[in-house]
């Protein structure tokens, strides 16, 4: 409701409105007084034909202080009227602070309503009288009734309103109690959830501790196997031969002396007294099953290298095509680390189609569906790079088929298919003209030459290039 709707029904016989507010809020823009009614301020008593404006609220600087409002009520005389506006909402209206003062100065509240303003939320119209006045309806019009009926109406309404208010207060208490119980239940549920998460974290910790313990045990077994292999005579002889093959000029002269020293050491070990051998045999642990890694179908070059040595993950067809001009070794998940160390390749090559195939030892590698294969391939790439060898990814298919391969630390990435070996279509015969055609058309050998250029290894087409350059031209 607007302030003018609350005030205008009570302006009959009113000629002046007295502004008795003490705050900083001005009420005259809200009144819209009709012609013939003037607004003024004075400190004299308010009687017949006058209406007093009062304001009271929670902000004394804006609405005025409570003491000023009570002091203004003392100026009311019979026949005078008043309008008091509140800065409090209707649900928080402190009417009990003004009730005693209104009764003491013979003031009867005629109408009260809510207001729709920012700083003014409710208001009431009262009159100073010597006899009981009839109450007003919702629209501010007086109800026709005598004094006794008016008193009965006020008394009945007071009892019923008090009953309704007590019911609402009881309902409010119940709602507050339910809200407190709900808050406690939520807190309990939150604590239970925290306990469950803590128990799950403890279980995960136990599982990780068990996995770490098993990994350490496995590491100890592997370290003992590595120590046994490094101390074996076969490995030392193989290292001596490989070193001599790599640098014949410097190491070949020392090879006989090294082999003779190894033979003397082995003979010294074999010539121990029989008692010691018997005692060692008696104290030795029982023989266990041989679970060493065995290499099968692997190529190992001991002579000086004049061909490109490739080790990696390849398909059957690619390995067969490359084997015509290079030394090719295909790794398996269980022997990859040992094979990379033994073959010492010029390049560690991984073919994408071999990993994205539906079958094969490296199937589903790089797709995220075989994390153990991804981890093993990552270890092989790191091992090859740690030995100073070039790690190359040959993407002969769409990279989306194995996206995990692109995340590994490659030294080079080649795109394109592996080519077509011409001997699969027509075996090559002798003749320089035919050799020139083969050199141009055999895309598999061109791919090998490209791979050798990337890795810095021996060029498999060097002899063919010499033959082509020496061939007569038409």
């Amino acid at each position: 409701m607007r302030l003018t709707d609350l005030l205008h029904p009570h302006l009959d016989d009113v000629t002046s409105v007295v502004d008795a507010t003490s705050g900083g809020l001005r009420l005259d823009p809200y009144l819209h007084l009709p012609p013939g009614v003037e607004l003024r301020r004075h400190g004299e008593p308010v009687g017949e034909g006058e209406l007093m404006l009062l304001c009271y609220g929670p902000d004394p600087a804006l609405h005025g202080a409570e003491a000023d409002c009570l002091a203004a009520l003392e100026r009311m005389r019979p026949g005078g009227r008043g309008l008091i506006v509140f800065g409090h909402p209707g649900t928080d209206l402190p009417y009990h602070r003004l009730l005693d003062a209104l009764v003491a100065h013979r003031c009867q509240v005629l109408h009260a309503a809510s207001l729709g303003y920012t700083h003014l939320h409710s208001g009431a119209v009262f009159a100073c009288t010597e006899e009981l006045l009839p109450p007003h309806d919702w629209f501010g019009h007086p109800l026709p009734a005598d004094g006794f009926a008016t008193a009965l109406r006020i008394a009945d309404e007071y009892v019923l309103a008090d009953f309704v208010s007590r019911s609402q207060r009881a309902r409010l208490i119940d709602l507050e109690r339910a809200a407190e119980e709900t808050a406690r239940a939520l807190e309990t549920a939150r604590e239970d959830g925290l306990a469950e998460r803590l128990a799950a974290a403890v279980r995960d910790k136990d599982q990780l501790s068990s996995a770490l313990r098993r990994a350490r045990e496995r590491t100890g077994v592997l370290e003992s196997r590595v120590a046994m292999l490094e101390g074996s005579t076969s490995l030392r002889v193989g290292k001596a031969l490989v070193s001599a093959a790599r640098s014949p000029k410097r190491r070949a002269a020392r090879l006989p002396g090294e082999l003779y020293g190894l033979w003397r050491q082995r003979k010294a070990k074999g010539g121990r007294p029989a008692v010691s051998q018997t005692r060692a045999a008696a104290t030795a642990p029982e023989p266990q099953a041989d679970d060493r890694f065995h290499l099968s179908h692997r190529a190992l070059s001991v002579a000086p290298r004049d061909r490109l040595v490739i080790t990696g993950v390849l398909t059957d067809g690619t390995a067969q095509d490359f084997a015509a001009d290079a030394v090719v070794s295909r790794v398996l998940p269980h022997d990859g680390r040992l094979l990379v160390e033994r073959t010492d390749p010029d390049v560690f090559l991984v073919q994408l189609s071999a990993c994205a195939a539906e079958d094969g030892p490296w199937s589903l590698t790089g797709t995220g569906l075989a994390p153990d294969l991804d981890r093993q391939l990552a270890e092989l790439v790191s091992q090859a790079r740690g030995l100073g060898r070039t790690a190359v990814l040959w993407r002969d298919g769409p990279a989306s088929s194995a996206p995990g391969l692109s995340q590994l630390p490659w030294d080079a990435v080649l795109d394109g298919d592996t080519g077509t070996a011409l001997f699969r279509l027509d075996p090559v015969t002798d003749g320089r003209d035919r050799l020139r055609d083969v050199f141009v058309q055999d895309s598999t050998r061109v791919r090998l030459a490209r791979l050798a250029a990337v890795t810095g290894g021996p060029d498999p087409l060097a002899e063919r290039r010499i033959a082509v350059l020496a061939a007569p031209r038409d």
Side-chain angles (χ1 to χ4, degrees), residues 4 337 346 367:
T4 182
R337 297 180 64 87
D346 295 310
T367 61

Side-chain angles (χ1 to χ4, degrees), residues 6 10 73 82 84 86 93 95 98-99 102-103 106-113 123-129 132-136 150 154 157:
L6 175 63
H10 303 277
L73 290 177
I84 180 170
F86 299 95
L93 185 63
Y95 63 90
L98 303 177
L99 185 58
L102 291 174
V103 174
R106 307 294 182 177
C107 295
Q108 178 183 349
V109 179
L110 303 178
H111 190 201
V125 178
F126 62 92
C128 183
T129 178
L132 188 63
L133 299 177
H136 290 62
T150 301
I154 294 174
E157 187 173 2

Side-chain angles (χ1 to χ4, degrees), residues 145-409:
D146 55 7
F148 181 70
T150 301
L152 288 178
R153 178 183 178 88
I154 294 174
D156 295 342
E157 187 173 2
Y158 169 77
V159 174
L160 295 176
D162 181 67
F163 168 72
V164 173
S165 63
R166 283 189 285 108
S167 301
Q168 290 179 350
R169 287 196 298 271
R171 175 61 176 167
L172 178 60
I173 294 174
D174 294 339
L175 292 177
E176 290 178 351
R177 185 182 299 110
E180 293 177 358
E181 294 177 355
T182 303
R184 286 195 296 268
L186 290 176
E187 186 66 23
T188 303
R190 189 179 298 107
E191 293 178 356
D192 295 341
L194 180 61
E196 293 178 358
R197 292 195 296 271
L198 181 60
V202 172
R203 290 194 298 269
D204 294 341
K205 175 182 174 297
D206 295 339
Q207 294 177 359
L208 293 176
S209 300
S210 178
L212 179 60
R213 184 169 55 254
R214 291 194 299 268
R216 288 178 176 175
E217 294 175 356
R218 178 64 176 170
T219 302
V221 174
L222 294 178
E223 288 178 353
S224 61
R225 290 179 180 177
V226 170
M228 180 184 65
L229 291 175
E230 290 180 350
S232 64
T233 306
S234 301
L235 180 61
R236 297 172 65 184
V237 171
K239 287 184 177 180
L241 293 176
V242 170
S243 299
R246 285 184 175 177
S247 57
K249 293 182 180 180
R250 293 184 301 173
R251 303 300 296 274
R254 292 185 295 176
L255 180 61
E258 294 180 0
L259 295 179
Y260 178 73
L262 294 176
W263 175 76
R264 290 293 301 271
Q265 292 178 3
R266 184 175 182 181
K267 184 177 180 181
K269 293 180 180 179
R272 292 178 181 177
V275 178
S276 301
Q277 294 181 0
T278 304
R279 185 179 304 165
T283 58
E286 297 181 0
Q288 299 179 356
D290 186 7
D291 56 352
R292 293 177 297 174
F293 292 151
H294 298 276
L295 304 181
S296 60
H297 305 288
R298 298 294 183 265
L300 179 63
S301 176
V302 182
R305 293 192 178 184
D306 58 354
R307 306 173 69 193
L308 188 67
V309 179
I310 301 175
T311 300
V313 180
L314 304 172
T315 60
D316 296 338
T318 302
Q320 185 178 0
D321 294 344
F322 284 177
D325 298 281
V327 179
V328 180
S329 298
R330 301 171 63 190
V331 298
L332 297 177
H334 72 281
D335 64 354
R337 297 180 64 87
L338 186 60
L339 189 62
V340 171
E341 182 180 355
R342 291 291 180 89
T343 57
D344 194 13
D346 295 310
V347 57
F348 182 78
L349 180 63
V350 176
Q351 187 178 0
L352 187 144
S353 57
C355 298
E358 296 181 357
D359 54 354
W362 295 95
S363 177
L364 303 180
T365 303
T367 61
L369 301 178
D372 53 340
L373 296 180
D374 296 344
R375 176 180 53 81
Q376 292 175 2
L377 183 59
E379 292 177 355
L380 292 179
V381 173
S382 301
Q383 180 186 8
R385 298 187 69 203
L387 295 175
R389 302 308 172 193
T390 304
V392 179
L393 172 62
W394 199 303
R395 291 192 298 201
D396 58 340
S400 58
S401 59
L405 296 180
S406 302
Q407 306 298 327
L408 299 180

